[in-house]
Amino acid sequence: MLGLVQQLFRALKPSQRHTFVLLQALIVIRTVAEIAGVASVGPFMLLAADPQRLEGDGMLAVLYRRLAFDDPDHFLILLGVGAFAMLIVSSLLSITTTSALLRYAARVGAEFSARLYAYYMRQPWLFHAQTNSATLTKHIASEAAQVTRSLLTPLMMFN
C-alpha cells in the first residue's frame, strides 16, 4: 500500500504536491480544533456537576475570581456558551476541511483523466488502429475515477 501511495505522490504535479501538503496542514489544524472543542466541554460539565469547585483553588475557581463574576450561574453559562462556540468552530472547520479534501481529490482525478487522454492522443496511428476507441474512452473514464475513488479520496480522508 505504501508503494502505491508513493507512486501516486510521484504522479502528482508540483502544484498538486504543494496543495496536498497545505491540506495536510489544514488537517492538523482541524484535529487540534476538534480536540479543543471536545476538551472545552470538560470544565463546563465539571462545574455543572459540582458548583462548589468555584470555592477551591482550581483553575476554574481562579478564572471565576479573575473575571469577577458575582453569580456562579452566570459563569456556568459563560462556560457553556464557550464550549458550544468551540464545538461550532470545530465542526465548521471540519466541514470546510472535508470539502476541500474531496474537491482536491476530484480535481486531481479529473487532471489524471486529462493526462491519460493526452497520453493516448500522442500514441502513433497504428496504436489507434489496433485499439477500439470505446476501450480507450472506458479507460480514461474508469481508471482515473478508480484512482480517485479507491485511493486518493480514502488517503485524504485517512490522514
Side-chain angles (χ1 to χ4, degrees), residues 7-146:
Q7 282 181 330
L8 175 68
F9 199 71
R10 281 192 302 266
L12 295 176
K13 295 177 182 175
S15 63
Q16 292 170 330
R17 288 185 198 139
H18 179 72
T19 303
F20 182 85
V21 171
L22 289 177
L23 287 173
Q24 297 309 305
L26 187 60
I27 289 171
V28 170
I29 293 168
R30 175 188 72 179
T31 303
V32 169
E34 286 178 3
I35 291 170
V38 171
S40 68
V41 175
F44 171 72
M45 295 302 291
L46 190 67
L47 187 60
D50 186 16
Q52 301 302 321
R53 290 190 176 267
L54 293 179
E55 298 172 7
D57 293 334
M59 283 183 21
L60 286 176
V62 170
L63 186 62
Y64 177 72
R65 285 191 293 274
R66 287 209 178 191
L67 294 177
F69 274 92
D70 296 332
D71 186 9
D73 290 338
H74 291 140
F75 186 65
L76 181 64
I77 290 171
L78 175 72
L79 284 180
V81 169
F84 185 66
M86 280 299 298
L87 288 171
I88 287 175
V89 167
S90 169
S91 295
L92 290 174
L93 190 55
S94 181
I95 290 168
T96 303
T97 303
T98 302
S99 173
L101 293 174
L102 292 175
R103 280 186 284 121
Y104 172 78
R107 186 173 51 249
V108 168
E111 290 178 14
F112 279 166
S113 291
R115 288 167 61 186
L116 186 57
Y117 174 76
Y119 169 78
Y120 285 147
M121 292 307 293
R122 287 190 303 270
Q123 297 305 307
W125 180 86
L126 189 58
F127 170 81
H128 291 284
Q130 294 173 345
T131 309
N132 188 347
S133 63
T135 303
L136 296 178
T137 303
K138 184 183 107 190
H139 283 170
I140 292 170
S142 66
E143 297 298 327
Q146 185 176 3

